[in-house]
Amino acid sequence: MPVPAPPADLDDSPAARRREQRGWYLYDWANSAFYTTIISVFLGPYLIPVAKTAACARDFPGVAAATCADTFDRLVADNPGLGYVDVLGADIRPAAYFGLITTVAVFLQIVFLPIVGALADHTGRKREMLGVFAYLGALAAMSLFFVEGDRYLLGGVLFILANVAYGASVVVYDSFLPQISTPEERDAVSSRGWAIGYLGGGLLLALNLVLFLQHESLGLTQGMAVRICMMSAGLWWATFTIFPLLRLRNRPVPAHESTALRSVGGSFRQLGRTLSELRRYPLTLLFLVAYLVYNDGVQTVIGNSAAFASEALKLDQTVQITAILMVQFVAFFGALLLGWLARGIGTKRTVLASLVVWTAIVAMAMFVAEGQALQFYLMAFAIAIVLGGTQALSRSLFSQVIPKGREAEYFSLLQISDKGSAFIGSLTITITLQLTNSYRIAILSMVIFFVLGFVLLAMTNLPKAIRAAGNEVPGRV
């Protein structure tokens, strides 16, 4: 369907585009605080002890709430049939609770994000939708301040709401990119947004690290300091979202597409047509499946790294925060390093090599000694080196194996799949924890995703896939 031309009063000059682009960058700066501070660092290690306190109140009523989290593992070892929390009638181990709510959040994104994409494409209300989802997520994130004591259910509901709103806002945010940049500008604009997001998330995490380390001198308990840090991520998200909302502009859509119900139905039909057409490009489909498998492992490892550090390695949150902070900044340079390596040995070989490193990293989880911060830092450094490069080079490969003129359609399919891809990984973590109560074994289970992804990618004949899509095969791929 042809894209309507902008109206005469919509300034599309280079200066106007740059103004919108600067506002667009700041939404990545705004929302990265939620992912870095809440998902990657604070919530898992904080919410699990809250769930343990609730489990003690239910199964060990004689144990004081203040000491429950510290003695919980010993109590469960002595009473293996006890030590669960109730979640909608199901008995769930506290260690598995964070994985459970992450799984629920990702599943809801699988269902919800296609609808969001349909509305964003066809209603012409992208700026308003961005604001609604951003502030809904930011409010839920700020409300995590009230999660204390045994309020594990409140924490779960707020996290799911914030996570789904975060995913929805990113879908709308990404949909602005083709409108605020020419094809020649797109790579640079997208890369700047990605880099600024790492910087914003890392900066707030650094400030929160100072607060966390100095909580006693400030007269705060550790729990209060964590709650303030989580609230600050929501506040940061809400504050800096103001700037993209002031700079970004809605574009008109054809009148017959402005009805939301028709938009949703039309987008699902188009998604169905795209999936059907993938049969004409079996090697593209094979690469897409390979990416979704190993990216599932990547996202699951990152999302559970802080909980692994606290539960399996018994490392305090100072170590966890500084490790994640290191990852934020090293990952950017790691992406540049892998990009340089790809120019020498080829992109596919570089991604395959990165998957070998990922496999070694999760295998190391079984051997990192409890309380050994240096070993955990080395794991985090290795993750940082391959994190950005694995995903950036995968996107580059995918762009080679899709037909010209259909880029947005195919990349929207990748985006929808990417948002929901961690579902199986999170479910695997949850089931493994439920069966073994061991975070080491749970992280080790991710080897399956990296090995299977490696095999599928190795099987993909990329030059043939590129030619089948009607594209020119580059010198190295």
Side-chain angles (χ1 to χ4, degrees):
M1 179 173 295
V3 177
D9 59 347
L10 184 62
D11 186 1
D12 197 36
S13 66
R17 288 201 308 274
R18 285 193 295 270
R19 183 176 184 274
E20 282 194 277
Q21 289 163 9
R22 287 191 289 269
W24 187 80
Y25 299 149
L26 283 174
Y27 188 66
D28 218 326
W29 171 283
N31 69 51
S32 293
F34 168 72
Y35 191 90
T36 304
T37 291
I38 293 179
I39 296 180
S40 298
V41 177
F42 284 110
L43 186 61
Y46 178 78
L47 194 57
I48 290 173
V50 170
K52 288 180 177 179
T53 300
C56 276
R58 176 180 131 168
D59 291 341
F60 308 107
V63 178
T67 62
C68 173
D70 295 330
T71 61
F72 184 81
D73 291 340
R74 178 180 57 79
L75 292 169
V76 172
D78 294 338
N79 303 272
L82 301 177
Y84 294 87
V85 291
D86 178 72
V87 180
L88 299 178
D91 286 338
I92 302 296
R93 290 190 183 276
Y97 181 62
F98 182 64
L100 174 65
I101 61 175
T102 300
T103 302
V104 172
V106 172
F107 176 76
L108 289 176
Q109 288 189 47
I110 293 173
V111 175
F112 190 51
L113 294 193
I115 299 175
V116 172
L119 296 176
D121 282 338
H122 301 303
T123 61
R125 299 291 183 180
K126 289 185 178 181
R127 185 174 63 177
E128 291 83 354
M129 290 178 65
L130 178 65
V132 167
F133 290 124
Y135 282 105
L136 183 62
L139 180 61
M142 286 188 281
S143 298
L144 289 170
F145 177 81
F146 300 103
V147 177
E148 58 178 333
D150 61 355
R151 298 176 179 175
Y152 68 99
L153 288 175
L154 175 64
V157 170
L158 290 174
F159 172 71
I160 290 171
L161 178 60
N163 206 343
V164 173
Y166 166 80
S169 71
V170 170
V171 168
V172 180
Y173 164 74
D174 287 346
S175 73
F176 272 104
L177 179 58
Q179 297 180 331
I180 64 171
S181 60
T182 65
E184 292 76 18
E185 297 170 336
R186 205 154 297 157
D187 288 344
V189 171
S190 180
S191 298
R192 289 183 197 125
W194 177 75
I196 288 173
Y198 265 101
L199 184 61
L203 178 58
L204 181 64
L205 185 58
L207 295 174
N208 282 331
L209 176 60
V210 173
L211 173 65
F212 183 79
L213 291 176
Q214 301 298 321
H215 69 268
E216 290 184 355
S217 63
L218 296 172
L220 301 173
T221 65
Q222 180 173 302
M224 175 61 77
V226 171
R227 289 159 56 203
I228 291 174
C229 290
M230 291 193 294
M231 182 178 66
S232 75
L235 185 60
W236 180 285
W237 187 0
T239 300
F240 287 103
T241 295
I242 294 172
F243 298 98
L245 294 182
L246 290 175
R247 292 289 182 90
L248 294 171
R249 298 171 295 171
N250 288 328
R251 267 69 175 178
V253 296
H256 68 275
E257 292 197 11
S258 61
T259 302
L261 185 59
R262 292 177 182 173
S263 304
V264 173
S267 286
F268 275 119
R269 285 192 296 272
Q270 183 58 50
L271 179 61
R273 286 192 291 269
T274 304
L275 289 170
S276 178
E277 285 186 0
L278 270 174
R279 291 179 296 180
R280 296 170 50 195
Y281 307 105
L283 291 174
T284 298
L285 178 59
L286 180 60
F287 175 80
L288 179 61
V289 172
Y291 169 75
L292 295 181
V293 170
Y294 64 72
N295 186 59
D296 197 343
V298 170
Q299 298 298 333
T300 305
V301 170
I302 296 301
N304 287 272
S305 58
F308 168 76
S310 63
E311 294 298 307
L313 305 184
K314 309 301 181 186
L315 296 173
D316 61 36
Q317 284 191 297
T318 301
V319 174
Q320 298 166 35
I321 296 171
T322 52
I324 296 297
L325 185 61
M326 177 188 68
V327 168
Q328 283 293 113
F329 296 106
V330 175
F332 177 77
F333 297 101
L336 297 179
L337 174 63
L338 264 64
W340 172 82
L341 186 62
R343 289 194 294 272
I345 68 172
T347 310
K348 178 181 176 179
R349 290 177 180 174
T350 304
V351 174
L352 288 173
S354 76
L355 295 180
V356 173
V357 176
W358 276 108
T359 303
I361 290 169
V362 296
M364 286 170 56
M366 294 298 295
F367 304 102
V368 176
E370 186 175 308
Q372 288 296 315
L374 178 59
Q375 295 178 13
F376 181 67
Y377 282 130
L378 290 175
M379 285 185 65
F381 185 84
I383 286 175
I385 292 297
V386 294
L387 175 60
T390 301
Q391 296 172 314
L393 293 177
S394 296
R395 287 195 301 267
S396 176
L397 284 176
F398 187 68
S399 70
Q400 302 278 1
V401 298
I402 59 179
K404 290 182 179 180
R406 309 290 296 280
E407 292 89 356
E409 192 174 308
Y410 276 80
F411 268 107
S412 69
L413 172 62
L414 181 69
Q415 183 184 72
I416 291 170
S417 302
D418 185 42
K419 296 300 181 185
S421 67
F423 171 72
I424 299 176
S426 297
L427 183 60
T428 302
I429 289 283
T430 302
I431 292 173
T432 306
L433 283 170
Q434 184 75 358
L435 295 176
T436 68
N437 201 33
S438 169
Y439 247 104
R440 291 181 186 272
I441 297 176
I443 293 296
L444 181 63
S445 69
M446 293 298 102
V447 166
I448 299 170
F449 293 86
F450 296 123
V451 171
L452 180 57
F454 180 98
V455 171
L456 292 173
L457 179 58
M459 291 170 56
T460 305
N461 186 330
L462 285 173
K464 185 176 180 180
I466 293 170
R467 286 191 291 268
N471 299 321
E472 182 179 349
V473 180
R476 287 191 179 275
V477 65

